Every structure is written in C-alpha cells, then in structure tokens.
Amino acid sequence: MSTSSILPPADAAAETPSNVSDGGVLHPTPSETGVSPYTFHDLPGQLYFLSVNDSGCVVDANGAFLAFVGKKRQDVLEQPVESIVSDLGIYITQDIIQQVRETRQPWGEAQEYHHPSSGKHFIEWRCYTTVRQTDNRVYVVGVDVSHHQFVKDQLAETTSVGRVGYWRFDLNHEKLFWSDEIYAIHGVSKDDFVPSVETAIEFYLPADREIISAAVVDCIENHKAYTIHLRIMQQSTGRTIYVETKGRPEFDVEGRIEAISGTFRDRSDIVLVQNEHEVMVKSLQEARHLSEHLHHTLDEHALVSITDATGVIIYANTKFTEVSGYKLDELLGNKHNIIKSDKHDAAFYKDLWRTIASGETWQGEICNRKKDGELYWVRSTIVPFKNTYTDKIEQYVAVRTEITEAKKLQAELDAALKMAEEGNLAKSRFIANMSHELRTPLNHIIGFSDLLMSLADDKQAQEFASYIRNSGQELFEKLQSVLELSANIAPDNLNQSNVQLLKHIEEDLFPGFRSSASKAGRILEEEVPNQSATEIYLCTDEIDRAIKYVFENAVRYTRSGEKILLRLSETDTKVQIDLADEGPGIPEEKQNLIFTPFALVNEDYSAATPGMGVGLPVAKRLIERNGGTLELIEMPGKSTCFRISFNRS
C-alpha cells in the first residue's frame, strides 16, 4: 500500500459533488424524498461515497462502494469504517476521521489496492465535513485513478528507459525548465546546476552551437517547430553524447508566442549501432571485394574442386578444367576417379579418405591423369566442411597446385645428386689409392736417400743424395697438401681433445719455427703471454699442420733479413695466433683469391719461391674443421698478417 499524498487530478472538480465547497466542506442539499439531505445512491459508479457519524460508524454508502467492498448495506451500516476497509488494505483510520472532524480540513491520499480478480488499482480517497457546525458527519469520497496512474507510470518508465526528457523555456520570464532525465543526460545534479540558455548552450560541441541557436531563433521568429540531432559533452564523464532535441512554439490566448517546449533524447546507443552497422557494411564490401580478388587469384593459381559428402564433384574452377583437359559438364556429377592414375596404391587413397572423413585436413602430393592420358602431379589440400547445426560433413573442398615441372626438376636433381655421390665416392677411392700408390714410393725415395747420405764416403755423393732427399720431401709435402684439400673428413671422425693451445704452440712449434727462420735468413720475433692455460677442443695434428702452412707462407713471401712476427694472445672470448711479415703484401684486387686453391696472388715472389697455391686453402679448411677461423688482417704499409682465432670454451 502506498501512502504518498498526491494532488487531485486537474479534472477532479468535475467529479466533486456540487454541495462540496472549495474548502472541502460539504453543503447540505434539499432532499426531494425528505429522507436525507445527503444521498449518494445515484452518483456515477466510479465514485465511492459513504458517510460516517461522530462515532466513526458508517451511516450511509452508495452502491459503488458496497460493490467495491463486496458487502450488503445492512452489513456496513453502524460498523466502524476502519473495520470495513482495513481487510482490503485501505488505510482510512478512526484517527483520520477524527482529525477531519475536529479541524474541519479535508484529507486526501492515493492508495494502492489489489483486487482479487482485476489486479492492482489506485484509488484516491478524500474526507470532507459540512459547513454546518452541528453536523459532525464526515463524508468519504473515493475515485478510481488506476488508468491515470498507469499512464503516469508508463510515461515515467518510457522516459527512463528511452532516456527522454521534457524541457520548456518561458520567453516572458526567460526561465528554462528541465525534467530529471535531462539533468541525467547532461551528467549534472539537479541540486547543483541551474539551467539557463547561457549554461545549456555550453554543453553543445562548438560545431553544433550555431545549429541549435539558429533553430531556436527560427522557432521564435517564424514559429517553426524543429527536430535536430546534436552532440553534447557530458560533464560527469567527459564523453560525447549524441542527442535528439525537438522544439515547438507555445502561444497565449492572443496568439502571441510565450514559450518553446519539447523533448530531449539520448540517442547515443542508436548512433553506436548505426556506426557499427556502417563499419559492418564497409567491412562486408571490402570482404566481398577481397573475396572476388582471392577468387580470381585462386583461379589463376590453383585447381579447386568441391564435392558432396559422398565425393561427387559439384564444383570445379577453370584452372581444374584447363589442366585436366575435361570440360566442366564432364566433371560435374562424377567422382575424382575420372582423373585417377595408377601411381598410388589402395592404401594411399584409404588413408586419404580416413583422414578427411574424420573431419581432419589432408595434405599431400597426388599424381593424376589428364583426359589425353598424360600424367600430372599436384600438391593437394583437402578440407572437410561440416554443417553448423548437425556437425556432419556436407562438403569437401580441395585446393591443388600443379607441381609437374617441379617433380621433373626434382627427379633431375636427385639423379644429379646420385651421380655426385657416386663421383665423390669414386674420388675418395681414387684419393685413397693415390695416397697409397704415391706415398709408398716417396717414402722409399726419402728413406733410401737418407741411407745413401749415411753410407756414402764421397762428399759429392752425399750432396747428390741430399738433393734427392729434399726433392722427395718437397714432393711428399705437396702431395699431402693436395690430399688434405680433397679429403672430406667430418669433425666427428677427428682425434680431438682439450689442448692448452698457446702453451702447446710455444713449447712444441716455436723451436722448429726458430730453426726454419734461421736457415732461411729471416728474423723471427715472438710475443707470448705470461700465462695461458686456456683449453681448446681440437685435433692437435691438424692445427699444427695449419699453423705450419701459414708460417711457411710467411717465409716464402719474405726476403733474407726481413722480419716475421708470431704473436700469441687471448681476450675474454677468444684465443688468437697472429702471423705477420714484412713481405710485399697482397694486392687489394687479389685479396679475395688468397684462400682459393691453386691461386698464386704474387707472381714475382712465386717465381722465386715456387708453390702450388694450396697451403692457405688447406690451412683454412683444417682450422674451420676444428671450430676456428683464419682471416687476413689489414696491416700498415705492405705487411701481411693472418689471424687464427678460436672461441674460449
């Protein structure tokens, strides 16, 4: 039950008995029957009347009230009014009756009532007294305002949900009225903000202020109503609100405009939907455009076909017909057996169908047969598509790329690779045989020349034996270089171990280098770190030979009296061996040839000190096979420096 007091409706005066004064006091009316001056039996049925004596008991009631309470007249007469209506949830107490009687001031209240059959009702109750001081009766009048309240509630709900507010600007008094919803739309409090033309216009975005101003001026001067869409900045959130405002002129009795009034609606959700719709339409247009391009691109590149769940072809693109040689009407309605070749066994196709029937994508290479019998290869991707609702496969889409030429090229490459492998194997066998066939007689020559030198008494014979021995040794070393350049030895097959490299070079290689430099008339300078115990994982024999090749290159390309520098060093990350000389240097245009087998980069020195041009290439190969690097380092003047580097483990 609601107890909030409301004012009577504007047309309540039309429903008020003629003997009720403006102050709410009832004036007696002469009775035509002489029974009672106050009879309500003939009043309209939507009005409920009863009179209550000074004891608070009912002395009369009209038929509408009796029907309302569901009682007969004899059941309500002389009964307290409170006991009659309280069961219905109506709040008219003895205290209210007594208050009206004593103050002789009317009482009114709209109350909610739930009827067992017709549901919720709103009844406005009023209590009056008469102007006669001796008459202590109180007259109770009830009006069913359910429809009025329903319309009011619906309007309030619609206004709230639709975010529609009412506004009115009084031109005579220059006052602007906002309903509660307009305050909410603007994000301001009714208690803290007083609307005016000046303050209201500040909410509009600058670009929209001229629009609303022009519309209002046109409405005032030309009496034209308007409906416009604008934007305001909501004060509480700072976000832009899209609104629709309507305005129309109001006129006085003389036809002069006195006000402008209208509605103010938040249409941000509509704008958002419109924007999303525009974005969606644009996206769909772009997607359609892209789809057309993709379709064209796919037709130019791939063979596409679609089958139903049983494998019957229901679509094939132009590329498919061009490659297969079949017309479209020859493909449609048939299965892919029409292009099947004999290159794949039954297990191949069984695996294909098992994969796609399970809902998975199949990819692979297939050999097909054209209409004229020619074979062609494709790389195929087959994707099953399921029904969204039944989850059953409805179609299979196959996209293929022709790879016939690629398969032919691959076959040629495979054949070439096989020939290369066979040639490499033959080369390895040849090298192994040559190594055995040449090393054996050379070892004999060197061995017997040593024997002749030790046995000959003749000095000239010893000298001749020495020539034979040196020539054999030189030939043996050149043979060794060529064999190492040709051999393919994997790092896994090397005899590698952890070696304190710089210490090993200083103790095991330096003595030989000093002797060789001295015999050749070269000056050997050495730079060695105080301590170096860093271990490098490598094959000592191979690295020794590589360093000797680089050292011999320095001796070969220097003259008597020139210096050779041998520097050992290490950084935080590397161990380095530098071999520099004061020779003629390497011409810049030939520096890219220094590691090319059999290339002689300095013709003048090569004539004086013949070589085969394999020392540095072999050294580089041996070093890199053990995880190191060999590079040419720029030096001032015409000097040459080679650097060997290994990463510290």
Side-chain angles (χ1 to χ4, degrees):
M1 175 181 69
S2 171
T3 58
S4 59
S5 298
I6 63 172
L7 294 174
D11 58 348
E15 299 178 354
T16 305
S18 61
N19 57 338
V20 177
S21 69
D22 292 340
V25 181
L26 197 64
H27 297 272
T29 302
S31 172
E32 296 179 358
T33 61
V35 176
S36 171
Y38 314 110
T39 178
F40 311 126
H41 301 166
D42 298 327
L43 291 173
Q46 70 271 26
L47 300 179
Y48 312 125
F49 291 94
L50 66 154
S51 60
V52 182
N53 60 23
D54 54 3
S55 300
C57 295
V58 177
V59 295
D60 200 0
N62 73 337
F65 179 79
L66 295 174
F68 175 70
V69 298
K71 296 181 182 293
K72 296 180 180 180
R73 186 179 301 277
Q74 59 268 27
D75 295 331
V76 300
L77 295 179
E78 303 302 329
Q79 298 296 320
V81 65
E82 185 174 0
S83 65
I84 298 173
V85 298
S86 61
D87 293 341
L88 302 174
I90 297 174
Y91 186 73
I92 303 177
T93 65
Q94 292 295 102
D95 292 338
I96 293 174
I97 299 295
Q98 186 66 27
Q99 176 186 336
V100 172
R101 181 181 292 111
E102 292 177 355
T103 63
R104 305 193 75 78
Q105 294 295 322
W107 170 89
E109 185 176 271
Q111 298 181 3
E112 184 178 330
Y113 162 68
H114 289 271
H115 192 277
S117 58
S118 59
K120 183 168 66 174
H121 288 260
F122 288 91
I123 300 177
E124 185 176 332
W125 296 100
R126 285 191 174 267
C127 296
Y128 304 90
T129 59
T130 66
V131 294
R132 295 172 56 185
Q133 296 296 325
T134 57
D135 186 359
N136 289 328
R137 281 182 292 183
V138 174
Y139 298 91
V140 181
V141 182
V143 181
D144 192 332
V145 293
S146 298
H147 180 70
H148 172 78
Q149 187 67 32
F150 173 77
V151 173
K152 181 180 177 182
D153 292 345
Q154 289 297 310
L155 180 60
E157 182 178 353
T158 302
T159 300
S160 176
V161 174
R163 291 180 64 80
V164 180
Y166 171 77
W167 62 272
R168 186 177 188 274
F169 179 57
D170 187 334
L171 294 173
N172 296 324
H173 300 91
E174 295 187 354
K175 288 186 177 181
L176 178 62
F177 166 79
W178 279 359
S179 68
D180 293 344
E181 192 59 37
I182 297 184
Y183 283 99
I185 294 173
H186 284 77
V188 294
S189 169
K190 189 174 183 180
D191 298 331
D192 302 330
F193 181 80
V194 178
S196 67
V197 173
E198 292 77 13
T199 57
I201 197 90
E202 292 298 322
F203 284 93
Y204 292 97
L205 297 189
D208 293 351
R209 292 173 186 172
E210 293 184 4
I211 299 174
I212 183 62
S213 298
V216 171
V217 171
D218 193 35
C219 183
I220 295 173
E221 295 179 352
N222 302 313
H223 302 166
K224 290 185 178 180
Y226 61 84
T227 299
I228 50 179
H229 293 162
L230 303 166
R231 298 161 297 169
I232 65 170
M233 183 69 71
Q234 193 175 63
Q235 192 175 85
S236 59
T237 64
R239 68 188 184 96
T240 300
I241 305 296
Y242 294 85
V243 298
E244 177 190 80
T245 181
K246 293 184 177 183
R248 60 178 178 80
E250 294 182 7
F251 304 95
D252 59 16
V253 293
E254 297 180 0
R256 292 173 300 189
I257 185 170
E258 63 177 2
I260 302 176
S261 62
T263 58
F264 196 84
R265 178 169 65 96
D266 183 349
R267 56 186 296 271
S268 299
D269 291 342
I270 297 175
V271 173
L272 178 62
V273 171
Q274 288 175 342
N275 291 341
E276 290 179 349
H277 175 71
E278 291 175 1
V279 171
M280 184 178 297
V281 170
K282 186 177 180 180
S283 298
L284 288 174
Q285 291 174 343
E286 292 176 352
R288 181 180 298 173
H289 184 66
L290 179 61
S291 176
E292 292 174 355
H293 278 279
L294 289 175
H295 188 273
H296 177 72
T297 303
L298 200 61
D299 270 348
E300 290 295 320
H301 173 73
L303 294 75
V304 182
S305 64
I306 303 175
T307 72
D308 61 17
T310 64
V312 174
I313 300 173
I314 58 176
Y315 169 82
N317 72 339
T318 305
K319 191 74 172 179
F320 191 109
T321 60
E322 291 176 354
V323 173
S324 68
Y326 287 95
K327 295 180 180 179
L328 182 61
D329 56 359
E330 293 177 310
L331 294 171
L332 298 181
N334 280 306
K335 296 187 177 182
H336 283 90
N337 292 341
I338 193 173
I339 57 171
K340 184 179 179 181
S341 71
D342 299 327
K343 291 292 183 180
H344 309 287
D345 56 17
F348 174 85
Y349 293 104
K350 185 177 181 180
D351 175 71
L352 185 157
W353 271 103
R354 182 173 61 249
T355 300
I356 60 176
S358 66
E360 297 180 2
T361 299
W362 183 90
Q363 291 182 320
E365 296 180 355
I366 303 178
C367 181
N368 291 326
R369 189 181 301 277
K370 297 182 181 181
K371 186 177 181 179
D372 61 8
E374 182 183 352
L375 298 179
Y376 68 97
W377 282 87
V378 293
R379 182 175 290 110
S380 180
T381 299
I382 305 176
V383 182
F385 282 83
K386 295 182 178 180
N387 184 290
T388 306
Y389 303 101
T390 64
D391 200 39
K392 293 183 178 179
I393 296 175
E394 289 187 337
Q395 295 178 346
Y396 296 104
V397 177
V399 179
R400 310 170 185 84
T401 303
E402 187 181 7
I403 57 171
T404 305
E405 293 302 320
K407 293 291 285 186
K408 291 180 180 178
L409 179 60
Q410 184 63 48
E412 293 174 0
L413 290 175
D414 291 343
L417 178 60
K418 184 178 180 181
M419 290 179 62
E421 290 175 346
E422 292 175 350
N424 190 51
L425 180 60
K427 184 189 74 172
S428 298
R429 290 172 179 170
F430 171 76
I431 290 174
N433 290 334
M434 188 175 73
S435 174
H436 175 73
E437 295 296 331
L438 294 180
R439 283 179 178 178
T440 300
L442 283 174
N443 284 326
H444 291 166
I445 293 172
I446 295 171
F448 281 112
S449 61
D450 287 336
L451 181 61
L452 287 174
M453 289 173 61
S454 63
L455 296 178
D457 295 331
D458 187 350
K459 186 176 181 180
Q460 188 177 19
Q462 289 181 348
E463 185 178 350
F464 290 159
S466 176
Y467 288 151
I468 296 172
R469 198 259 180 213
N470 291 339
S471 297
Q473 184 65 37
E474 182 180 351
L475 182 60
F476 183 88
E477 291 175 355
K478 290 181 178 180
L479 174 63
Q480 180 70 19
S481 298
V482 172
L483 294 176
E484 285 180 336
L485 190 64
S486 303
N488 291 317
I489 301 176
D492 294 340
N493 297 325
L494 298 177
N495 183 22
Q496 294 178 314
S497 61
N498 287 319
V499 179
Q500 295 180 11
L501 182 59
L502 299 187
K503 182 180 179 182
H504 164 71
I505 294 173
E506 181 183 3
E507 294 179 353
D508 298 334
L509 298 185
F510 270 21
F513 291 163
R514 295 187 191 106
S515 176
S516 298
S518 177
K519 290 179 180 179
R522 311 297 190 262
I523 301 172
L524 179 62
E525 294 184 353
E526 305 169 12
E527 293 184 11
V528 181
N530 293 331
Q531 291 182 348
S532 178
T534 302
E535 292 187 343
I536 306 296
Y537 187 73
L538 45 73
C539 176
T540 307
D541 291 340
E542 289 201 341
I543 297 304
D544 287 353
R545 290 202 303 275
I547 296 175
K548 288 177 182 178
Y549 286 138
V550 179
F551 178 77
E552 290 170 357
N553 185 77
V555 173
R556 179 175 293 111
Y557 287 97
T558 54
R559 291 188 173 92
S560 179
E562 292 182 335
K563 296 179 181 179
I564 297 175
L565 172 64
L566 184 54
R567 179 193 299 121
L568 308 181
S569 62
E570 59 181 320
T571 66
D572 293 337
T573 59
K574 293 183 180 296
V575 170
Q576 297 176 338
I577 303 99
D578 290 343
L579 273 161
D581 62 65
E582 292 182 332
I586 301 173
E588 184 176 354
E589 66 274 11
K590 293 187 177 182
Q591 289 181 2
N592 61 331
L593 300 175
I594 57 176
F595 298 118
T596 302
F598 309 111
L600 301 176
V601 298
N602 197 315
E603 301 294 342
D604 295 338
Y605 273 66
S606 298
T609 54
M612 296 176 61
V614 295
L616 290 177
V618 171
K620 182 177 178 65
R621 183 169 186 175
L622 294 174
I623 292 168
E624 290 180 348
R625 195 154 66 193
N626 284 271
T629 59
L630 173 61
E631 56 186 333
L632 176 65
I633 304 298
E634 290 188 9
M635 294 287 288
K638 294 184 178 181
S639 300
T640 301
C641 179
F642 287 96
R643 174 170 292 170
I644 302 170
S645 302
F646 290 93
N647 290 328
R648 298 182 62 172
S649 57

